[in-house]
């Protein structure tokens, strides 16, 4: 067993960032819902997350912290810090104004948690309550101009609280504080590496699957490819890979994907089910309805294909953590659903396969590191993410074969030029969106009334947050000109400069 840090989730939007920061230290961590508090644990330390609740609200999460406090190191962040103070004799009061944004933090005590932190450093606040009085056996170890008890510790035990969020980018020395806690206070050595993950996953998959066979859906993307290679290493020929042409792929992608997987030694079968997907999408305009239709047909196709493979008991999927987070409350806590993903949430009762998801706990950048350790092709690992529903969620409104054709042509021009100009690797994800808008144009002396598209290109590390790419104007002008001149049916090109949040990377 690896050294583990447990993060108890109270519903904060930043909980997953805490996990990312800890994994960057090569330390394994697990997020648990706050309702699991008090169950037997084996961990080197505990972190209590923030929350949209106030500890003063009757309906707020209130696990009995006394069950574990003092028995192992604990760090409370924001709500977690307030909860520790609230339950052990301190007082939490409503702030005069909601404290959100940058603040300058000044340590006032030499303690292990703050070792190496500057005398004045920027931190990020996001709270409506403040700790107005500490418990009798706690002492303040740092303040900001507006928050006296911005950091504190309990005497004679390794229990700490910080009002700010050290996990976010805007807390400039937040990573140092988290390292002080995880590597220093908790004594973790940082032994959770890609090699260790592969070794453990392979052993776990062998034990779980036994002599059964696995049906694995491949898309040509990083996630499903790495998941397939992990399964292949674990069970070899017991893995039967299927690549479904849902009619929503990029131009010429079906044949290219099949050829690439054959070179990887995978046993793969191509299935052209495009007409089934088009029929299921006919007349649908609502984004969630389209996603669910695509997911339903995806499952139906796999159910049909699995019946041809004797002893097929499992469906392998390349689900990763951001998919889970956006689709459901990944921890059973009070987090909010953003949108559904076709490969998240289990299978219908009629399907005879159980799901195996080797990458479910990993972020995108971690998946790429695992792939590199598996010695997979760098071009495949560097490929931009592509949504499971494909172009179906890049066509706003009803999906038709003609709309798919238009979008494939425009997308091929955009992605091709990113590669040609050496910009592809500096972009995390890119694509073209077909808008449900016709606009007036003029070509030669003729009036046109054709479709408009939006180019989308973002930078990110894990898909949880993203910023729009500042692509050169000359590049955008060239792409726009080529799309309008070469794709009959499109006469207007726009560029999306929205970031996530508040927008999402995909439009649907």
């Amino acid at each position: 067993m690896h050294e583990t840090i447990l993060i108890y989730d109270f519903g904060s939007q930043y909980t997953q960032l805490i996990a990312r920061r800890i994994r960057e230290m090569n330390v394994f961590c697990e997020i648990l819902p706050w309702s699991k508090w008090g169950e037997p644990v084996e961990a080197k330390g505990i972190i209590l997350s923030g929350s949209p609740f106030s500890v003063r609200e009757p309906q707020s999460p209130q696990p009995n912290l006394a069950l574990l406090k003092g028995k192992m190191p604990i760090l409370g962040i924001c709500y977690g810090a307030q909860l520790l103070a609230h339950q052990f004799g301190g007082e939490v009061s409503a702030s005069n104004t909601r404290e959100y944004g940058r603040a300058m933090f000044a340590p006032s005590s030499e303690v292990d948690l703050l070792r190496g932190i500057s005398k004045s450093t920027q931190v990020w606040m996001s709270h409506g309550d403040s700790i107005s009085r500490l418990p009798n056996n706690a002492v303040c170890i740092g303040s900001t101009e507006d928050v006296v008890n911005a950091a504190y510790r309990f005497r004679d035990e390794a229990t700490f609280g910080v009002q700010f969020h050290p996990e976010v980018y805007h807390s400039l020395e937040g990573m140092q504080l988290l390292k002080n806690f995880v590597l220093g206070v908790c004594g973790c050595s940082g032994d959770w590496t890609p090699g260790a993950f592969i070794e453990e996953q392979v052993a776990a998959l062998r034990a779980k699957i036994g002599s059964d066979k696995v049906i694995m859906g491949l898309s040509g993307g990083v996630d499903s490819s790495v998941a397939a290679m992990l399964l292949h290493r674990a069970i070899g020929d017991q893995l039967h890979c299927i690549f479904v042409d849902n009619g929503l792929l990029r131009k010429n992608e079906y044949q290219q994907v099949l050829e690439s997987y054959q070179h990887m030694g995978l046993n793969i079968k191509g299935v052209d089910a495009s007409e089934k997907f088009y029929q299921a999408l006919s007349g649908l305009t609502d984004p969630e309805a389209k996603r669910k239709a695509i997911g339903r047909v995806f499952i139906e196709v796999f159910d049909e294909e699995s019946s041809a493979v004797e002893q097929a008991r499992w469906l392998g999927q390349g689900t990763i953590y951001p998919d889970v987070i956006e689709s459901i409350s990944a921890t059973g806590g009070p987090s909010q659903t953003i949108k559904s993903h076709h490969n998240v949430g289990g299978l219908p009762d009629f399907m005879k396969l159980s799901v195996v998801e080797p990458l479910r706990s990993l972020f995108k950048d971690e998946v790429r590191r695992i792939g590199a350790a598996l010695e997979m092709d760098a071009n495949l690992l560097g490929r931009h993410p592509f949504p499971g529903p494909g172009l179906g969620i890049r066509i706003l409104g009803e999906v038709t074969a003609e709309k798919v054709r238009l979008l494939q042509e425009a997308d091929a021009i955009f992605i091709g030029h990113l590669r040609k100009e050496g910009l592809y690797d500096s972009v995390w994800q890119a694509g073209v969106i077909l808008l449900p808008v016709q606009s007036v144009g003029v070509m030669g002396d003729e009036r046109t009334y054709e479709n408009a598209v939006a180019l989308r290109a973002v930078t990110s590390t894990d898909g949880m947050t993203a910023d729009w790419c500042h692509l050169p104007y000359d590049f955008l002008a060239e792409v726009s000109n080529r799309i309008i001149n070469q794709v009959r049916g499109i006469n207007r090109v726009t560029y999306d400069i929205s970031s996530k949040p508040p927008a999402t990377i995909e439009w649907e």
Side-chain angles (χ1 to χ4, degrees), residues 244 260 348 357 397:
V244 175
S260 67
E357 299 168 312

Side-chain angles (χ1 to χ4, degrees), residues 214-217 223-224 227-228 231 298-299 315-320 342-347 355-360:
V214 178
I215 303 291
M216 178 73 198
D223 303 333
S224 66
L231 283 162
F298 172 83
I299 288 173
L315 173 64
Q317 293 191 153
T319 310
I320 64 171
H342 78 288
N343 57 345
V344 177
L347 299 173
V355 174
V356 57
E357 299 168 312
L359 309 178
R360 186 181 177 90

Side-chain angles (χ1 to χ4, degrees), residues 287-288 291-292 323 326-327 337-342 344 389:
E288 279 297 291
R291 283 178 175 271
K292 292 184 185 304
D323 298 338
E326 289 191 338
S327 295
T337 297
I338 306 299
K339 59 187 176 184
S340 66
H341 287 259
H342 78 288
V344 177

Side-chain angles (χ1 to χ4, degrees), residues 151-372:
Y152 69 93
R153 70 163 300 171
F154 283 82
R155 295 186 178 92
D156 303 321
E157 63 182 76
T159 302
F160 304 87
V162 293
Q163 183 60 75
F164 53 89
H165 287 271
E167 68 272 23
V168 304
Y169 172 80
H170 295 294
S171 290
L172 299 184
E173 297 181 68
M175 186 63 171
Q176 180 62 48
L177 186 148
L178 291 173
K179 283 183 177 179
N180 288 341
F181 179 73
V182 173
L183 303 180
V185 176
C186 299
C188 293
S189 60
D191 63 350
W192 192 67
T193 62
F197 176 86
I198 292 169
E199 181 180 341
E200 291 166 7
Q201 274 297 309
V202 166
L205 289 168
R206 285 174 180 163
K208 184 175 187 177
I209 296 168
S211 60
D212 295 340
K213 293 181 180 178
V214 178
I215 303 291
M216 178 73 198
L218 299 182
S219 67
V222 176
D223 303 333
S224 66
S225 300
V226 174
M229 290 304 291
L230 270 174
L231 283 162
H232 181 67
R233 179 168 291 194
I235 62 173
D237 292 341
Q238 293 168 234
L239 176 65
H240 292 255
C241 299
I242 298 170
F243 176 55
V244 175
D245 183 1
N246 58 10
L248 305 170
L249 304 174
R250 285 177 160 148
K251 185 178 180 181
N252 300 326
E253 189 170 27
Y254 183 52
Q255 288 302 324
Q256 292 171 359
V257 167
L258 284 177
E259 291 173 5
S260 67
Y261 283 129
Q262 289 169 356
H263 293 305
M264 293 168 63
L266 295 175
N267 176 24
I268 183 166
K269 176 184 178 181
V271 179
D272 184 355
S274 54
E275 286 304 317
K276 290 184 179 180
F277 283 89
Y278 287 153
Q279 290 172 12
L281 289 167
S282 179
L284 299 182
T285 58
D286 178 73
E288 279 297 291
K290 291 196 295 183
R291 283 178 175 271
K292 292 184 185 304
I294 292 168
R296 185 185 72 250
V297 177
F298 172 83
I299 288 173
E300 290 172 356
V301 170
F302 270 84
D303 186 49
E304 181 178 345
E305 293 299 325
S306 68
S307 64
V309 180
E310 294 182 3
Q311 291 186 310
R313 301 285 184 269
W314 301 88
L315 173 64
Q317 293 191 153
T319 310
I320 64 171
Y321 205 22
D323 298 338
V324 176
I325 295 164
E326 289 191 338
S327 295
I328 57 176
S329 174
T331 61
S335 47
Q336 184 176 2
T337 297
I338 306 299
K339 59 187 176 184
S340 66
H341 287 259
H342 78 288
N343 57 345
V344 177
L347 299 173
D349 293 337
F350 74 81
M351 197 165 181
K352 308 176 191 65
L353 302 177
S354 299
V355 174
V356 57
E357 299 168 312
L359 309 178
R360 186 181 177 90
S361 64
L362 299 184
F363 292 94
K364 177 70 74 173
D365 56 322
E366 293 176 317
V367 173
R368 288 195 170 101
R369 289 201 293 271
I370 298 300

